[in-house]
């Protein structure tokens, strides 16, 4: 009998298993697929290194919250960590049929052609805007503090790029807690940003950096799986039922092929998407199951596209570009993948990773491959001055790509805690709560492991 069973071998489950293992807890991790990592997948295709899920994540080396850095060091992967090219600091936004750099400083903002003078004057009023009531969508929050144009051409594309979401449906407190905290703590985003800048200068607080691995993001979950004890990980083993035992602890029913088995443990962690977690808790907590089923996901189609470099007129001197919805282009944006990290494309080639779909265009997830490929190809050709067709297109569909932190998301999580209070020893650790990025998942995994050991 293990001390703890984890259901789900995505990065949340794997990182939690690793941190518990390193703290001396005997863990059994059950993963329904034959491969671990969830949506984190990397592959070589015609000498292009493709990412089918997250392309990178943000690390803050030296920061107390840098669980990612601690995990990388623990796994012996520090030498294989890649930091994005310095050009990644430049982000483009598509407006008026061309890419315009998103300003990164006040002087750049004043000179930028991305925003009108009316929008610039509106931003100067921000320190004098009163605090809100704390229960706003991202769209309402940004419009109130910064104006509609700043929402349309800065924040809405960002929300599409990170959450594939609709800013009018996402809670600012849940989806952008750090931004929301600036208003709550400083009364102004500008004053809050200035205070953070002074804090970094006086304390040496580190800035974030974009990172991946030399073999792609999949190296991280694969290495955790390899370094866990051989008997700690069972792939191809799907948890089919969960039952609280009268004497305490949990009975876990699993299936592998035609074999059904049972295990028991004092504690269980569900590191599963919300709908799968709902199925397991429904027999003993219908209220919790209903909450979990109500957490929506946005679908995304990711397209890795390779071109001869000399066919692309744009210098590709940045992270990539995002497209505001009001510009009428279906593609959400694209990463300049072969600019960001070395050896992502063969010599003389360029790799772009484009995205289409999301909460504002869910129908894209079920369109035919050739229609999506043609649409994205046309959009990229128009925005990046590309001549001719790509050498290849590799498409990955995610019907449930990114959980949506809706307006009532924090209230849902509070209600979930109440519904699960009668069932001690059961924990949830997945990206539908407390942050969606790889670094968020690892930080939260470490925090849960520390809590359990304590």
């Amino acid at each position: 009998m293990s001390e703890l069973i984890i259901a789900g071998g995505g990065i949340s489950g794997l990182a939690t298993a690793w941190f518990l293992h390193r703290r001396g807890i005997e863990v059994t991790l059950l993963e329904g697929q034959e491969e671990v990592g969830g949506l984190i997948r990397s592959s070589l295709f015609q000498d292009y290194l493709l990412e089918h899920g997250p392309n990178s994540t943000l690390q803050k080396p030296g920061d107390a919250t840098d669980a990612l850095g601690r995990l990388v060091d623990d796994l012996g992967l520090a030498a294989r960590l890649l930091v994005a090219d310095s050009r990644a600091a430049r982000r483009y936004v598509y407006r008026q049929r061309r890419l315009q750099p998103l300003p990164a400083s006040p002087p750049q903002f004043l000179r930028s052609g991305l925003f009108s003078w009316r929008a610039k004057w509106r931003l100067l009023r921000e320190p004098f805007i009163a605090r809100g009531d704390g229960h706003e969508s991202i769209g309402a929050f940004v419009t109130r503090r910064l104006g509609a144009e700043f929402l349309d051409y800065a924040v809405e594309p960002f929300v599409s790029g990170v959450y594939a979401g609709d800013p009018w449906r996402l809670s600012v407190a849940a989806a952008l807690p750090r931004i929301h905290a600036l208003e709550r703590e400083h009364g102004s985003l500008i004053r809050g940003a200035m205070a953070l800048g002074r804090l970094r200068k006086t304390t040496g607080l580190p800035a974030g950096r974009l990172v991946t691995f030399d073999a792609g993001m999949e190296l991280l979950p694969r290495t955790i799986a390899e370094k866990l004890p051989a008997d700690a990980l069972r792939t191809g083993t799907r948890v089919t039922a969960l039952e609280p035992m009268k004497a305490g602890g949990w009975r876990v029913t699993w299936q592998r092929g035609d074999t059904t088995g049972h295990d028991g443990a004092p504690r269980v962690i569900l590191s599963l998407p919300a709908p799968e977690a709902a199925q397991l808790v429904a027999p003993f907590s219908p209220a919790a199951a209903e909450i979990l089923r109500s957490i929506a996901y946005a679908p995304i189609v990711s397209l890795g596209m390779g071109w001869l470099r000399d066919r692309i007129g744009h210098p590709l001197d940045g992270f990539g570009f995002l497209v505001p919805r009001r510009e009428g282009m279906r593609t959400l944006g694209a990463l300049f993948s072969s600019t960001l990290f070395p050896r992502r494309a063969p010599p003389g080639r360029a790799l772009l990773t484009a995205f289409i779909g999301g909460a504002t265009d869910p129908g894209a997830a079920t369109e035919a491959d050739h229609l999506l490929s043609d649409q994205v190809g046309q959009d990229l050709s128009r925005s990046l001055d590309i001549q001719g067709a790509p050498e290849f297109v590799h498409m990955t569909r995610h019907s449930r790509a990114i959980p949506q932190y809706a307006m009532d998301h924090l209230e849902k999580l509070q209600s979930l805690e109440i519904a699960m209070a009668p069932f001690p020893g059961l924990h949830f650790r997945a990206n539908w709560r407390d942050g969606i990025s790889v670094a968020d998942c690892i930080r939260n995994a470490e925090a849960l492991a520390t809590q359990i050991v304590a």
Side-chain angles (χ1 to χ4, degrees):
M1 183 174 180
S2 296
E3 293 180 70
L4 189 146
I5 294 174
I6 299 175
I11 191 61
S12 292
L14 285 166
T16 305
W18 180 260
F19 287 126
L20 287 167
H21 162 67
R22 295 293 283 175
R23 287 160 172 76
I25 302 295
E26 184 181 348
V27 175
T28 298
L29 192 155
L30 307 177
E31 164 55 40
Q33 302 298 315
E34 293 297 337
E35 300 291 334
V36 297
L39 299 188
I40 301 178
R41 289 283 184 271
S42 312
S43 67
L44 274 173
F45 187 80
Q46 297 183 12
D47 292 330
Y48 290 87
L49 180 54
L50 305 180
E51 297 287 5
H52 307 285
N55 284 258
S56 58
T57 195
L58 190 67
Q59 184 201 10
K60 292 186 177 181
D63 190 272
T65 65
D66 183 25
L68 170 63
R70 290 187 284 275
L71 178 62
V72 166
D73 290 342
D74 216 16
L75 295 170
L77 290 177
R80 304 189 66 177
L81 192 73
L82 297 181
V83 179
D85 189 281
S86 59
R87 289 172 290 181
R90 174 172 288 186
R91 314 291 175 103
Y92 286 97
V93 175
Y94 184 81
R95 185 174 190 181
Q96 296 174 337
R97 300 185 179 183
R98 65 188 181 96
L99 298 189
Q100 303 191 51
L102 189 67
S105 67
Q108 288 181 20
F109 177 74
L110 292 175
R111 295 192 301 267
S112 172
L114 180 60
F115 299 102
S116 68
W117 277 106
R118 183 179 179 181
K120 293 172 184 177
W121 281 112
R122 174 65 179 80
L123 186 66
L124 294 177
R125 291 174 47 203
E126 192 276 335
F128 307 101
I129 302 295
R131 288 181 175 90
D133 62 7
H135 191 75
E136 290 177 288
S137 69
I138 294 174
F141 177 86
V142 173
T143 301
R144 176 174 59 81
R145 294 220 64 88
L146 304 173
E149 191 173 331
F150 203 86
L151 171 69
D152 290 340
Y153 288 97
V155 176
E156 183 272 335
F158 167 80
V159 171
S160 291
V162 174
Y163 280 93
D166 181 343
W168 294 99
R169 298 184 201 170
L170 299 181
S171 161
V172 66
L176 301 177
R178 293 179 182 87
I179 300 296
H180 185 249
L182 292 180
E183 180 188 62
R184 189 177 66 249
E185 296 170 9
H186 301 277
S188 161
L189 304 187
I190 292 177
R191 286 200 298 268
M194 292 172 63
L196 286 178
R198 288 193 296 269
L199 183 64
R200 285 196 177 95
K201 288 180 181 179
T202 57
T203 65
L205 192 68
R209 62 182 191 176
L210 206 63
V211 297
T212 186
F213 297 90
D214 56 4
M217 288 294 289
E218 189 180 338
L219 179 66
L220 181 59
R222 192 171 70 237
T223 302
I224 298 174
E226 290 170 355
K227 297 208 170 189
L228 282 171
D231 59 351
L233 174 63
R234 294 186 229 160
T235 58
T237 306
R238 184 171 64 91
V239 174
T240 57
L242 183 63
E243 179 185 358
M245 295 188 289
K246 292 181 180 179
W250 294 86
R251 175 183 169 91
V252 177
T253 302
W254 50 263
Q255 185 168 1
R256 177 172 176 82
D258 296 329
T259 302
T260 298
H262 307 278
D263 282 299
R267 292 180 183 266
V268 169
I269 298 173
L270 298 184
S271 290
L272 298 167
E276 280 84 345
Q279 290 181 354
L280 294 178
V281 304
F284 56 87
S285 182
E290 183 178 356
I291 295 165
L292 290 165
R293 290 191 196 101
S294 72
I295 296 175
Y297 284 71
I300 280 289
V301 183
S302 168
L303 296 91
M305 309 179 83
W307 265 278
L308 291 170
R309 182 63 185 87
D310 59 12
R311 299 286 181 89
I312 303 176
H314 193 276
L316 303 182
D317 55 344
F319 177 83
F321 73 95
L322 294 167
V323 184
R325 295 299 81 204
R326 67 186 304 112
E327 289 296 311
M329 185 182 290
R330 286 192 72 190
T331 299
L332 296 172
L335 304 177
F336 303 157
S337 300
S338 52
T339 297
L340 293 176
F341 299 107
R343 294 181 295 279
R344 264 38 187 181
R349 267 70 173 174
L351 174 64
L352 304 175
T353 306
F355 305 92
I356 192 168
T360 59
D361 187 14
T366 56
E367 287 189 22
D369 285 3
H370 72 280
L371 294 178
L372 291 179
S373 179
D374 289 348
Q375 177 69 68
V376 173
Q378 291 170 15
D379 290 344
L380 295 186
S381 295
R382 178 169 29 139
S383 53
L384 297 172
D385 186 23
I386 300 176
Q387 304 300 316
E391 284 193 314
F392 81 92
V393 177
H394 192 287
M395 192 174 301
T396 306
R397 296 174 182 267
H398 298 296
S399 60
R400 290 196 316 236
I402 304 173
Q404 301 295 285
Y405 290 14
M407 287 297 298
D408 58 349
H409 191 74
L410 295 180
E411 289 79 7
K412 286 179 182 178
L413 296 184
Q414 291 173 354
S415 298
L416 182 63
E417 294 294 330
I418 293 170
M420 296 307 300
F423 307 101
L426 180 60
H427 309 270
F428 298 99
R429 185 67 277 150
N431 71 347
W432 47 263
R433 60 178 305 161
D434 308 319
I436 64 170
S437 74
V438 173
D440 287 336
C441 292
I442 294 169
R443 184 186 70 250
N444 293 326
E446 183 186 53
L448 177 58
T450 301
Q451 172 192 331
I452 287 173
V453 171

mmCIF file of all heavy atoms in Angstrom, residues 12-13 20 27 59 67 118 122 124 137 156 176 181 191-192 206 215 252 287 290 313 371 383 411 426 430:
data_model
loop_
_atom_site.group_PDB
_atom_site.id
_atom_site.type_symbol
_atom_site.label_atom_id
_atom_site.label_comp_id
_atom_site.label_asym_id
_atom_site.label_seq_id
_atom_site.Cartn_x
_atom_site.Cartn_y
_atom_site.Cartn_z
ATOM 1 N N SER A 12 1.693 18.472 -13.860
ATOM 2 C CA SER A 12 1.283 18.677 -12.464
ATOM 3 C C SER A 12 1.468 17.407 -11.653
ATOM 4 O O SER A 12 2.045 17.424 -10.557
ATOM 5 C CB SER A 12 -0.180 19.136 -12.394
ATOM 6 O OG SER A 12 -0.342 20.431 -12.925
ATOM 7 N N GLY A 13 0.973 16.298 -12.174
ATOM 8 C CA GLY A 13 1.102 15.030 -11.467
ATOM 9 C C GLY A 13 2.540 14.575 -11.335
ATOM 10 O O GLY A 13 2.975 14.115 -10.269
ATOM 11 N N LEU A 20 7.351 14.916 -3.863
ATOM 12 C CA LEU A 20 7.022 14.025 -2.752
ATOM 13 C C LEU A 20 8.063 12.927 -2.604
ATOM 14 O O LEU A 20 8.482 12.590 -1.482
ATOM 15 C CB LEU A 20 5.629 13.423 -2.960
ATOM 16 C CG LEU A 20 4.455 14.380 -2.747
ATOM 17 C CD1 LEU A 20 3.169 13.764 -3.281
ATOM 18 C CD2 LEU A 20 4.306 14.731 -1.264
ATOM 19 N N VAL A 27 5.241 7.070 -3.434
ATOM 20 C CA VAL A 27 4.199 7.527 -4.349
ATOM 21 C C VAL A 27 3.961 6.497 -5.427
ATOM 22 O O VAL A 27 4.899 5.856 -5.916
ATOM 23 C CB VAL A 27 4.606 8.868 -5.005
ATOM 24 C CG1 VAL A 27 3.592 9.300 -6.043
ATOM 25 C CG2 VAL A 27 4.775 9.952 -3.961
ATOM 26 N N GLN A 59 10.637 31.455 -16.422
ATOM 27 C CA GLN A 59 11.367 31.136 -15.204
ATOM 28 C C GLN A 59 11.894 32.411 -14.569
ATOM 29 O O GLN A 59 12.282 33.357 -15.270
ATOM 30 C CB GLN A 59 12.555 30.207 -15.505
ATOM 31 C CG GLN A 59 13.289 29.760 -14.248
ATOM 32 C CD GLN A 59 14.705 29.285 -14.510
ATOM 33 O OE1 GLN A 59 15.237 29.450 -15.607
ATOM 34 N NE2 GLN A 59 15.330 28.715 -13.497
ATOM 35 N N ALA A 67 10.255 27.185 -8.415
ATOM 36 C CA ALA A 67 10.241 25.723 -8.288
ATOM 37 C C ALA A 67 10.746 25.060 -9.560
ATOM 38 O O ALA A 67 11.348 23.982 -9.509
ATOM 39 C CB ALA A 67 8.825 25.247 -7.959
ATOM 40 N N ARG A 118 -5.148 59.642 -28.778
ATOM 41 C CA ARG A 118 -6.255 59.603 -27.825
ATOM 42 C C ARG A 118 -6.046 58.499 -26.788
ATOM 43 O O ARG A 118 -6.281 58.704 -25.588
ATOM 44 C CB ARG A 118 -7.564 59.390 -28.579
ATOM 45 C CG ARG A 118 -8.797 59.392 -27.693
ATOM 46 C CD ARG A 118 -10.046 59.203 -28.526
ATOM 47 N NE ARG A 118 -11.239 59.173 -27.705
ATOM 48 C CZ ARG A 118 -12.472 59.005 -28.160
ATOM 49 N NH1 ARG A 118 -12.663 58.849 -29.469
ATOM 50 N NH2 ARG A 118 -13.503 58.986 -27.343
ATOM 51 N N ARG A 122 -5.387 58.866 -22.790
ATOM 52 C CA ARG A 122 -6.253 58.097 -21.872
ATOM 53 C C ARG A 122 -5.418 57.335 -20.846
ATOM 54 O O ARG A 122 -5.783 57.259 -19.661
ATOM 55 C CB ARG A 122 -7.122 57.140 -22.688
ATOM 56 C CG ARG A 122 -7.961 56.166 -21.871
ATOM 57 C CD ARG A 122 -9.013 56.892 -21.035
ATOM 58 N NE ARG A 122 -9.817 55.957 -20.273
ATOM 59 C CZ ARG A 122 -9.433 55.390 -19.138
ATOM 60 N NH1 ARG A 122 -8.228 55.658 -18.630
ATOM 61 N NH2 ARG A 122 -10.235 54.568 -18.493
ATOM 62 N N LEU A 124 -2.613 58.213 -19.566
ATOM 63 C CA LEU A 124 -2.075 59.130 -18.558
ATOM 64 C C LEU A 124 -3.055 59.369 -17.417
ATOM 65 O O LEU A 124 -2.648 59.776 -16.318
ATOM 66 C CB LEU A 124 -1.699 60.458 -19.223
ATOM 67 C CG LEU A 124 -0.545 60.407 -20.228
ATOM 68 C CD1 LEU A 124 -0.321 61.771 -20.863
ATOM 69 C CD2 LEU A 124 0.736 59.912 -19.555
ATOM 70 N N SER A 137 -14.565 41.338 -15.185
ATOM 71 C CA SER A 137 -13.893 40.612 -16.248
ATOM 72 C C SER A 137 -12.611 41.358 -16.618
ATOM 73 O O SER A 137 -12.435 42.543 -16.280
ATOM 74 C CB SER A 137 -14.791 40.506 -17.475
ATOM 75 O OG SER A 137 -14.964 41.777 -18.077
ATOM 76 N N GLU A 156 -6.329 42.236 -25.095
ATOM 77 C CA GLU A 156 -7.131 41.174 -25.729
ATOM 78 C C GLU A 156 -6.266 40.214 -26.547
ATOM 79 O O GLU A 156 -6.430 38.990 -26.431
ATOM 80 C CB GLU A 156 -8.232 41.804 -26.592
ATOM 81 C CG GLU A 156 -9.178 40.796 -27.245
ATOM 82 C CD GLU A 156 -8.682 40.306 -28.589
ATOM 83 O OE1 GLU A 156 -7.903 41.032 -29.243
ATOM 84 O OE2 GLU A 156 -9.054 39.201 -28.984
ATOM 85 N N LEU A 176 -5.600 36.970 -14.135
ATOM 86 C CA LEU A 176 -4.459 37.892 -14.074
ATOM 87 C C LEU A 176 -4.301 38.415 -12.639
ATOM 88 O O LEU A 176 -4.418 39.610 -12.380
ATOM 89 C CB LEU A 176 -4.666 39.065 -15.036
ATOM 90 C CG LEU A 176 -4.845 38.716 -16.520
ATOM 91 C CD1 LEU A 176 -5.101 39.982 -17.326
ATOM 92 C CD2 LEU A 176 -3.608 37.998 -17.060
ATOM 93 N N ALA A 181 -3.729 42.596 -8.473
ATOM 94 C CA ALA A 181 -3.137 42.981 -7.186
ATOM 95 C C ALA A 181 -2.513 44.373 -7.234
ATOM 96 O O ALA A 181 -2.456 45.062 -6.208
ATOM 97 C CB ALA A 181 -2.085 41.959 -6.767
ATOM 98 N N ARG A 191 1.373 53.126 -10.906
ATOM 99 C CA ARG A 191 2.082 53.269 -9.632
ATOM 100 C C ARG A 191 2.592 51.913 -9.137
ATOM 101 O O ARG A 191 3.697 51.817 -8.589
ATOM 102 C CB ARG A 191 1.172 53.898 -8.584
ATOM 103 C CG ARG A 191 0.937 55.386 -8.780
ATOM 104 C CD ARG A 191 0.443 56.043 -7.486
ATOM 105 N NE ARG A 191 -0.838 55.490 -7.051
ATOM 106 C CZ ARG A 191 -2.018 55.991 -7.393
ATOM 107 N NH1 ARG A 191 -2.078 57.050 -8.192
ATOM 108 N NH2 ARG A 191 -3.137 55.447 -6.941
ATOM 109 N N GLY A 192 1.800 50.870 -9.322
ATOM 110 C CA GLY A 192 2.231 49.539 -8.909
ATOM 111 C C GLY A 192 3.435 49.049 -9.692
ATOM 112 O O GLY A 192 4.372 48.476 -9.132
ATOM 113 N N PRO A 206 14.767 39.161 -9.260
ATOM 114 C CA PRO A 206 15.062 38.768 -10.644
ATOM 115 C C PRO A 206 13.889 39.002 -11.582
ATOM 116 O O PRO A 206 12.734 38.943 -11.184
ATOM 117 C CB PRO A 206 15.360 37.262 -10.529
ATOM 118 C CG PRO A 206 14.585 36.833 -9.327
ATOM 119 C CD PRO A 206 14.613 37.999 -8.383
ATOM 120 N N ALA A 215 16.120 19.554 -26.352
ATOM 121 C CA ALA A 215 15.348 18.550 -27.081
ATOM 122 C C ALA A 215 13.864 18.862 -27.086
ATOM 123 O O ALA A 215 13.052 18.027 -27.472
ATOM 124 C CB ALA A 215 15.588 17.163 -26.483
ATOM 125 N N VAL A 252 -8.700 2.934 -4.835
ATOM 126 C CA VAL A 252 -8.566 3.377 -6.225
ATOM 127 C C VAL A 252 -8.698 2.169 -7.142
ATOM 128 O O VAL A 252 -7.957 1.182 -7.001
ATOM 129 C CB VAL A 252 -7.203 4.068 -6.453
ATOM 130 C CG1 VAL A 252 -7.042 4.460 -7.924
ATOM 131 C CG2 VAL A 252 -7.067 5.299 -5.557
ATOM 132 N N ALA A 287 -22.043 17.378 -5.648
ATOM 133 C CA ALA A 287 -21.871 18.832 -5.674
ATOM 134 C C ALA A 287 -20.500 19.201 -6.239
ATOM 135 O O ALA A 287 -20.375 20.120 -7.065
ATOM 136 C CB ALA A 287 -22.039 19.410 -4.276
ATOM 137 N N GLU A 290 -20.409 18.565 -10.008
ATOM 138 C CA GLU A 290 -21.099 19.602 -10.784
ATOM 139 C C GLU A 290 -20.207 20.827 -10.973
ATOM 140 O O GLU A 290 -20.169 21.423 -12.060
ATOM 141 C CB GLU A 290 -22.391 20.004 -10.070
ATOM 142 C CG GLU A 290 -23.222 21.020 -10.833
ATOM 143 C CD GLU A 290 -24.526 21.362 -10.124
ATOM 144 O OE1 GLU A 290 -24.824 20.750 -9.072
ATOM 145 O OE2 GLU A 290 -25.235 22.250 -10.623
ATOM 146 N N GLY A 313 9.557 37.756 -46.054
ATOM 147 C CA GLY A 313 10.055 39.123 -46.103
ATOM 148 C C GLY A 313 10.300 39.742 -44.749
ATOM 149 O O GLY A 313 11.179 40.589 -44.588
ATOM 150 N N LEU A 371 -8.618 23.109 -44.899
ATOM 151 C CA LEU A 371 -9.203 24.441 -44.742
ATOM 152 C C LEU A 371 -8.422 25.263 -43.723
ATOM 153 O O LEU A 371 -8.140 26.453 -43.941
ATOM 154 C CB LEU A 371 -10.667 24.326 -44.323
ATOM 155 C CG LEU A 371 -11.625 23.718 -45.343
ATOM 156 C CD1 LEU A 371 -13.036 23.626 -44.760
ATOM 157 C CD2 LEU A 371 -11.635 24.530 -46.638
ATOM 158 N N SER A 383 0.612 38.716 -43.334
ATOM 159 C CA SER A 383 1.191 39.490 -42.228
ATOM 160 C C SER A 383 2.716 39.488 -42.239
ATOM 161 O O SER A 383 3.340 40.425 -41.729
ATOM 162 C CB SER A 383 0.677 38.947 -40.896
ATOM 163 O OG SER A 383 0.901 37.561 -40.799
ATOM 164 N N GLU A 411 -15.006 31.679 -7.035
ATOM 165 C CA GLU A 411 -16.141 31.216 -6.234
ATOM 166 C C GLU A 411 -16.332 29.707 -6.401
ATOM 167 O O GLU A 411 -16.660 28.996 -5.437
ATOM 168 C CB GLU A 411 -17.410 31.962 -6.631
ATOM 169 C CG GLU A 411 -17.447 33.430 -6.218
ATOM 170 C CD GLU A 411 -16.643 34.341 -7.136
ATOM 171 O OE1 GLU A 411 -16.151 33.849 -8.179
ATOM 172 O OE2 GLU A 411 -16.511 35.525 -6.830
ATOM 173 N N LEU A 426 -8.036 13.799 0.065
ATOM 174 C CA LEU A 426 -8.164 13.897 -1.385
ATOM 175 C C LEU A 426 -7.800 15.319 -1.810
ATOM 176 O O LEU A 426 -8.342 16.298 -1.299
ATOM 177 C CB LEU A 426 -9.586 13.574 -1.839
ATOM 178 C CG LEU A 426 -9.839 13.639 -3.355
ATOM 179 C CD1 LEU A 426 -8.954 12.647 -4.096
ATOM 180 C CD2 LEU A 426 -11.307 13.392 -3.675
ATOM 181 N N ALA A 430 -4.005 20.499 -10.643
ATOM 182 C CA ALA A 430 -4.033 20.544 -12.097
ATOM 183 C C ALA A 430 -4.103 21.995 -12.542
ATOM 184 O O ALA A 430 -4.286 22.904 -11.716
ATOM 185 C CB ALA A 430 -5.232 19.752 -12.639
#
